[in-house]
Amino acid sequence: MRSTWIRAFALLVGFTFLTGVMQPQTNKHLKPDPPASLHPLGAIPTATPEDVGMSSERLERITGSIQEYVRDGRISGGVSLVARHGKVVYLHAVGMEDRDARKPMQTDSMFRLCSMTKPITAAAVMILYEEGRFALSDPVSDYLPEFKHMKVLDPPWPQDKTSPPGSLVDAKRPITIFNLLTHTAGLTYPWNARLGKAYRDANVNSGLSQQEGTIGEAVKRLAALPLLFQPGDSWEYSLSDDVLGRLVEVVSGMPFDQFLAQRLFQPLGMKDTYFFPPEDKVSRLVAAYAYDEQKGLHPILDHQVMDGQGGFQYTADYPYRGPHTYFSGGAGLNSTAEDYYRFCQMMLNGGELNGVRTLSRKSVELMSQNHVQGKTDQLDYGLGFGTKSEPKQLTELGSVGSYYWGGFYYTTFMIDPKEDFIA
């Protein structure tokens, strides 16, 4: 269901470009550039859809589609934002932030980003890379020595997907920072068929539930486990970004949450992005729901532990209950549509937003290119982003060169440089 929802949103935004006939403006869309005191997005410019070559009428199809998902009981609600040429033309909230409390969704409602944390973590790594703190080809063990002597399953994944961990061999080469950014390090997640149980037994968390201790402690436990395959040989979605979060801590000398706040969130004006929202903002965090054919849509309650596929467990209250000491670089952040748009617009601008440069243009180019040729048939992947690097990846409307990602709780985004477009 999650992938169906994300595909449906991607398809809808592809239909919103004008086809030669100007459509009438509706009053549901943002009007261009009101006074700053009245501006719903602060310093973010807005425009009518037609001003940037888009269709008001077609953008309303997004609203209608999400309303249909709400009516059918597939989701509780959603927030959608569309921008082109650096101007927001559509920002709309549909449904309920909390269905049982009858609390309407707001455009500034906060969502659990889950894996949409990964692109932000990759950007943090690239900030330090641009400062000359390391090369992407450096072994991560130069900075995290616990990764110096890694063992690898034999036979490796994916040749062997069923047998329990048994025979081990030495790693032929070190895990590099580039391997971590591209998920080619040989790490995995606790739901993996061969190593998942070992991860769970070692208390290696997916980032989707409460975690005692710190990311540094968890990464040391992770490094003591074998790799699925030789570094660089294959692609496996993994806890690499948690290791990268720890790398940022060690190299910068700052806790990961503070580094992100000072080097990314504050310069970009991302005022509502946190691992653990402050108490006065927790009420804006949307209720989380699970869906199955028998129960339909049902809330995930506080203190409730859910069982996911592959044996991993997840909760919904981890952003505001628990020790608040584990900053998961792969899954931990919470944010709003507006805040994440600011990050995306910085990327689309080649690393700059509102006169503040976060990354170089060349870093953005490197991050948004495919680096896993021949290592997976599932997708193309850059440094923290999925990429549409060749026509065969365009199974729906879109552009070669676009990049994107999504999260466990139904969040998704896309950046299309060819169309100068974000959704």
Side-chain angles (χ1 to χ4, degrees):
M1 210 287 268
R2 181 176 299 106
S3 61
T4 300
W5 155 247
I6 291 174
R7 284 198 304 270
F9 180 71
L11 183 61
L12 278 164
V13 296
F15 282 129
T16 62
F17 294 101
L18 288 174
T19 57
V21 179
M22 296 295 285
Q23 301 289 346
Q25 180 184 351
T26 72
N27 59 11
K28 291 184 180 180
H29 295 288
L30 299 178
K31 297 179 180 180
D33 298 328
S37 60
L38 302 177
H39 205 304
L41 292 178
I44 293 179
T46 63
T48 65
E50 286 69 26
D51 285 343
V52 297
M54 301 189 77
S55 164
S56 296
E57 183 272 332
R58 286 173 173 243
L59 281 165
E60 283 305 315
R61 297 179 188 181
I62 299 173
T63 308
S65 179
I66 299 176
Q67 287 173 336
E68 183 177 351
Y69 273 92
V70 173
R71 285 194 303 269
D72 291 347
R74 308 290 293 204
I75 62 174
S76 175
V79 176
S80 302
L81 183 152
V82 175
R84 197 180 192 204
H85 302 328
K87 296 181 178 181
V88 173
V89 297
Y90 177 90
L91 176 61
H92 206 69
V94 171
M96 293 291 169
E97 185 178 285
D98 186 327
R99 191 176 63 170
D100 294 335
R102 306 302 300 167
K103 185 178 180 182
M105 188 71 73
Q106 305 292 329
T107 55
D108 67 348
S109 294
M110 298 177 69
F111 293 83
R112 298 158 186 82
L113 292 182
C114 300
S115 284
M116 277 172 54
T117 304
K118 290 177 170 69
I120 291 176
T121 296
V125 171
M126 296 304 289
I127 288 172
L128 292 172
Y129 168 62
E130 289 186 2
E131 292 178 353
R133 304 291 193 95
F134 46 72
L136 299 186
S137 58
D138 283 351
V140 72
S141 58
D142 288 354
Y143 311 92
L144 305 178
E146 54 265 36
F147 287 96
K148 187 172 287 291
H149 302 291
M150 298 302 295
K151 298 292 185 179
V152 182
L153 292 185
D154 186 40
W157 181 280
Q159 290 96 309
D160 184 346
K161 293 188 176 183
T162 58
S163 65
S167 179
L168 302 177
V169 297
D170 292 335
K172 297 177 182 178
R173 60 191 74 93
I175 297 171
T176 66
I177 295 170
F178 185 83
N179 292 149
L180 294 169
L181 286 164
T182 56
H183 292 270
T184 58
L187 302 173
T188 185
Y189 264 115
W191 53 73
N192 179 268
R194 284 196 78 190
L195 277 179
K197 184 178 185 302
Y199 275 47
R200 297 190 297 273
D201 289 347
N203 193 28
V204 174
N205 197 298
S206 63
L208 298 175
S209 62
Q210 284 82 357
Q211 174 72 46
E212 297 287 342
T214 66
I215 195 170
E217 294 164 348
V219 163
K220 287 182 179 179
R221 294 195 297 272
L222 176 62
L225 301 173
L227 302 176
L228 274 177
F229 49 79
Q230 293 288 344
D233 277 5
S234 189
W235 186 91
E236 170 78 7
Y237 200 48
S238 70
L239 287 164
S240 288
D241 288 274
D242 284 43
V243 179
L244 290 171
R246 177 56 180 164
L247 174 70
V248 169
E249 290 189 331
V250 170
V251 173
S252 70
M254 299 172 62
F256 189 41
D257 64 331
Q258 292 183 23
F259 183 90
L260 292 182
Q262 293 183 25
R263 301 300 301 275
L264 272 169
F265 303 155
Q266 292 172 12
L268 294 177
M270 297 171 65
K271 63 184 183 304
D272 288 323
T273 304
Y274 309 91
F275 284 104
F276 306 105
E279 188 173 346
D280 62 347
K281 293 187 178 183
V282 168
S283 63
R284 288 166 50 198
L285 188 70
V286 301
Y289 294 84
Y291 179 89
D292 61 57
E293 296 295 337
Q294 288 73 39
K295 295 182 180 179
L297 192 70
H298 55 283
I300 304 173
L301 304 176
D302 286 353
H303 305 291
Q304 184 177 8
V305 179
M306 304 289 290
D307 292 319
Q309 292 182 346
F312 92 102
Q313 295 183 320
Y314 64 97
T315 66
D317 57 1
Y318 64 87
Y320 52 89
R321 292 183 186 273
H324 294 183
T325 56
Y326 185 82
F327 309 124
S328 170
L333 288 173
N334 305 270
S335 190
T336 63
E338 177 195 338
D339 267 19
Y340 210 88
Y341 163 71
R342 290 173 182 270
F343 172 74
C344 291
Q345 190 66 59
M346 178 273 292
M347 294 293 297
L348 183 57
N349 290 349
E352 177 272 335
L353 183 69
N354 294 334
V356 177
R357 179 156 295 281
T358 301
L359 294 170
S360 72
R361 176 176 56 85
K362 297 304 293 184
S363 285
V364 172
E365 290 177 4
L366 188 68
M367 295 171 75
S368 56
Q369 294 179 18
N370 181 31
H371 296 291
V372 296
Q373 298 94 330
K375 293 180 172 60
T376 176
D377 295 328
Q378 299 177 45
L379 45 71
D380 289 352
Y381 197 84
L383 308 184
F385 297 85
T387 67
K388 303 289 186 180
S389 58
E390 50 188 327
K392 73 176 184 179
Q393 292 291 341
L394 296 179
T395 56
E396 306 284 2
L397 291 177
S399 302
V400 172
S402 60
Y403 49 109
Y404 67 97
W405 208 237
F408 183 79
Y409 282 110
Y410 302 94
T411 56
T412 186
F413 75 94
M414 65 182 72
I415 301 171
D416 187 333
K418 182 177 179 180
E419 297 291 348
D420 198 19
F421 170 77
I422 293 168

